[in-house]
Amino acid sequence: MSAQPQITVIGLGTGDEAQLTLGAWRKLEGAGNRGGALYLRTKEHPVVSMLDHHGIRYESFDAIYETNDRFEDVYEAIADELIAKARQPEAGELLYAVPGHPMVAERTVQLLRERCAGEGILLTLLGGESFLDQAFLRLGFDPIEGFQLLDGTSLSAYDLNPGLHTLIGQVYDSFTASDVKLTLMELYPDDYPVTVGHALGVAGEERVREVPLYELDRVEGFGNLSLVWVPRTESESVRKRTFARLHEIVAILRSPEGCPWDREQTHQSLRRNLIEEAYEVLETIDEDDPDHLREELGDLLLQVMLHAQIEADEGSFTVFDVIAELNEKLIRRHPHVFGTELAENADEALSNWQQIKEEEKRRKGIDPEKQPVLAGVPRDLPGLLKAYKLQKKAAAVGFDWKTLDEVLPVVESELEEVKEAIRHLGRAEQQEELGDLLFAVVNLARFLKVEPEEAMADANRKFSRRFGYIEQRLQEQGKKWEHTDLQEMEDLWQEAKKVQKSDGV
């Protein structure tokens, strides 16, 4: 019976041959004497010169790097080849040497750990000194303060935590360093001090340099043994850009040591604030003012945070539960993005969304077909918007006019009823007839494919501009409102229409 196939992974350490473990060296020294072979992930490592000096034969996988564009493809190809070689008859113990420690930033080793058992291959790991050991020694920080190790080739701003010391490995070249710099700049100031380390612990090759973040990719010498250290900070200028700090501030405001006003707030007391902040966001959108929009979005987000914190104080749920439920819903309702379904256009995507919503209701014990047609329209929507949504729902089941020509007489008829109410009826009847007229006008807007709220917002802005013109002209003339008659105001109004129309406003 042939022996079980075996792959032994050896860590070559950080590059200083004096730091190579005795067990690892004996394995390397005996390579080829046991019928096996030695393979290197890469020859680009200082210890390889010692292998050459002692005449230890090896093969490297450097050629695979040259034939693949993505690192993940490289690592998959190396793992495939190692497994194939290990399964060859009489292969013996196959040695695979990697830089540093086998379990630190070595994707090929992780792939072997996932696959070897299923392939019937015995996998053994021999640790070597990790570049982390040298980083702690040379850079002089204690990881107990909080530490994270990230991959420079796939760095994301979502990974960053300024409260932790951050080491970024796999910074192979200036292009990767540039990507790392741009990602870090999403959180850290441009002049934040970072440290670049090349070949830490390797005598004669080690270089350590601190630079402001904006100069990171200008540092020379990036290679296989390069890393970047971003020191931890409690600086408010950095922490204020994190969601964690926002959550912390809102919790403090609601705490016994916080703000008396914030502590007293309830969902009901904040109700009007939420509506007002939403409308202020809409106003900045209409203004096309990004700076103002940024501010108002922050005010709206504060309302969400306060409502979530009120529930957290009651022990009901936290803002993280809100985020989790939203994420689950977004993924579930976009199977054409996160699943296998297709949506060629916006209409198909919306159709998918509606079908999934109905399925969600069924899982909750609600039969969409037995629900009232007008269900689902929020009670407290603004009047024009609510009328628009009610009419759309009714139209979906056929309760609607067929053409625009049928709608216009309805508007005219409702206007006549308002006139009649003004002549002969009381205030309650006048209000009712005026409501009917507005409802009919919304119907007209729907047939014209105009959002009534947007049309109303445009009209409000136009009125404000023209009225503002009247006010400005009166100030220029040294006149006050009480000394100006209606005819003069009307003349200025007509003047405003001409001036602003010629200005394209």
Side-chain angles (χ1 to χ4, degrees):
M1 175 181 286
S2 61
Q4 181 181 9
Q6 180 176 357
I7 297 176
T8 298
V9 183
I10 301 171
L12 295 177
T14 57
D16 186 344
E17 61 187 48
Q19 302 298 329
L20 195 63
T21 67
L22 181 59
W25 173 245
R26 284 176 175 170
K27 279 284 188 183
L28 294 169
E29 196 175 28
N33 297 336
R34 296 171 304 280
L38 171 62
Y39 296 91
L40 310 181
R41 177 166 67 76
T42 177
K43 290 196 300 183
E44 302 300 321
H45 191 272
V47 168
V48 176
S49 62
M50 186 172 72
L51 300 181
D52 294 334
H53 177 73
H54 287 82
I56 298 174
R57 292 185 299 171
Y58 57 80
E59 294 182 36
S60 85
F61 291 116
D62 286 319
I64 293 179
Y65 285 85
E66 299 171 5
T67 57
N68 289 274
D69 295 328
R70 299 188 317 132
F71 283 115
E72 187 61 30
D73 295 336
V74 170
Y75 304 145
E76 291 279 357
I78 291 174
D80 288 343
E81 192 162 337
L82 285 169
I83 289 173
K85 290 180 181 297
R87 291 183 59 81
Q88 292 176 358
E90 309 303 326
E93 182 186 19
L94 187 151
L95 303 181
Y96 175 49
V98 298
H101 190 286
M103 290 299 293
V104 179
E106 276 299 333
R107 178 60 181 155
T108 56
V109 176
Q110 295 301 324
L111 291 171
L112 291 174
R113 293 183 72 242
E114 293 169 7
R115 296 173 55 185
C116 278
E119 298 282 350
I121 298 172
L122 176 63
L123 180 66
T124 304
L125 307 181
L126 290 181
E129 184 184 51
S130 163
F131 70 89
L132 293 178
D133 299 286
Q134 288 298 324
F136 300 148
L137 287 172
R138 305 297 180 180
L139 302 178
F141 69 90
D142 187 343
I144 197 66
E145 297 174 351
F147 155 75
Q148 60 178 350
L149 173 63
L150 301 175
D151 184 344
T153 64
S154 58
L155 187 65
S156 166
Y158 305 121
D159 300 328
L160 303 176
N161 183 341
L164 302 177
H165 290 288
T166 301
L167 279 181
I168 304 171
Q170 315 280 47
V171 189
Y172 296 116
D173 50 36
S174 59
F175 298 106
T176 307
S178 179
D179 290 340
V180 168
K181 178 185 77 171
L182 294 175
T183 302
L184 291 174
M185 281 182 171
E186 295 188 39
L187 179 62
Y188 296 89
D190 293 357
D191 60 352
Y192 192 81
V194 298
T195 299
V196 178
H198 298 313
L200 296 183
V202 182
E205 297 185 33
E206 176 181 292
R207 282 172 293 159
V208 178
R209 182 180 174 190
E210 181 182 293
V211 295
L213 178 56
Y214 68 86
E215 290 188 3
L216 177 60
D217 52 351
R218 303 176 194 173
V219 176
E220 296 182 352
F222 282 105
N224 291 337
L225 301 181
S226 298
L227 57 79
V228 175
W229 171 41
V230 185
R232 69 185 298 272
T233 181
E234 294 294 332
S235 167
E236 189 63 21
S237 66
V238 178
R239 295 186 65 222
K240 71 182 181 183
R241 295 182 63 82
T242 66
F243 178 80
R245 181 57 173 154
L246 171 62
H247 187 218
E248 180 183 38
I249 288 171
V250 173
I252 291 172
L253 291 175
R254 289 275 304 169
S255 72
E257 297 77 29
C259 171
W261 184 89
D262 287 285
R263 285 201 306 269
E264 291 179 0
Q265 299 314 302
T266 65
H267 292 308
Q268 283 301 119
S269 69
L270 290 171
R271 189 173 179 276
R272 181 174 295 276
N273 300 59
L274 178 58
I275 295 171
E276 290 176 356
E277 296 299 351
Y279 273 100
E280 288 182 15
V281 169
L282 294 178
E283 184 175 335
T284 63
I285 292 173
D286 293 336
E287 293 171 351
D288 192 23
D289 184 346
D291 291 336
H292 196 188
L293 175 60
R294 181 182 63 236
E295 177 187 354
E296 295 302 338
L297 284 174
D299 292 343
L300 182 58
L301 177 58
L302 172 59
Q303 296 302 309
V304 175
M305 297 298 295
L306 284 169
H307 284 282
Q309 189 61 45
I310 289 170
E311 290 300 321
D313 294 340
E314 296 294 326
S316 176
F317 62 79
T318 72
V319 70
F320 298 107
D321 297 314
V322 174
I323 293 170
E325 188 165 332
L326 175 60
N327 285 336
E328 290 170 2
K329 181 188 293 184
L330 288 173
I331 292 171
R332 186 173 62 248
R333 293 188 180 179
H334 290 85
H336 51 286
V337 178
F338 302 103
T340 57
E341 294 201 21
L342 298 176
E344 298 297 333
N345 52 51
D347 289 339
E348 290 184 13
L350 182 60
S351 176
N352 287 344
W353 178 282
Q354 294 297 342
Q355 290 176 16
I356 294 168
K357 281 183 65 175
E358 291 185 2
E359 182 57 36
E360 289 170 358
K361 290 179 181 178
R362 291 189 183 94
R363 284 200 293 268
K364 294 177 181 179
I366 302 171
D367 187 348
E369 295 180 1
K370 294 182 180 179
Q371 276 198 301
V373 171
L374 301 182
V377 177
R379 180 189 61 196
D380 295 317
L381 281 179
L384 292 179
L385 179 58
K386 185 168 185 178
Y388 186 77
K389 287 186 173 292
L390 289 171
Q391 290 176 13
K392 284 187 69 174
K393 280 185 170 283
V397 295
F399 189 75
D400 199 11
W401 305 109
K402 301 298 183 185
T403 66
L404 178 62
D405 290 338
E406 293 177 302
V407 178
L408 286 169
V410 175
V411 175
E412 294 166 357
S413 172
E414 294 295 349
L415 177 58
E416 289 302 320
E417 291 185 19
V418 170
K419 293 177 181 179
E420 182 68 19
I422 292 172
R423 287 193 294 265
H424 303 295
L425 301 176
R427 185 177 181 280
E429 290 83 0
Q430 292 169 7
Q431 177 174 316
E432 178 183 351
E433 295 300 339
L434 183 61
D436 292 344
L437 173 60
L438 292 173
F439 197 84
V441 170
V442 171
N443 221 335
L444 175 60
R446 190 166 54 83
F447 269 81
L448 293 173
K449 300 190 183 306
V450 171
E451 290 279 352
E453 284 285 349
E454 292 184 11
M456 195 71 254
D458 288 341
N460 289 337
R461 282 194 296 273
K462 182 167 61 178
F463 178 85
S464 297
R465 285 195 303 268
R466 292 176 181 175
F467 192 82
Y469 180 89
I470 296 173
E471 190 170 25
Q472 179 184 346
R473 293 286 285 120
L474 290 176
Q475 289 173 351
E476 291 171 354
Q477 298 170 15
K479 293 183 177 181
K480 295 185 177 181
W481 292 108
E482 56 266 30
H483 300 142
T484 307
D485 60 27
L486 182 59
Q487 184 57 53
E488 189 174 359
M489 292 183 198
E490 174 62 22
D491 292 341
L492 288 173
W493 178 269
Q494 296 301 326
E495 182 180 315
K497 288 175 65 175
K498 293 178 182 178
V499 170
Q500 292 177 355
K501 186 174 183 180
S502 67
D503 291 341
V505 179

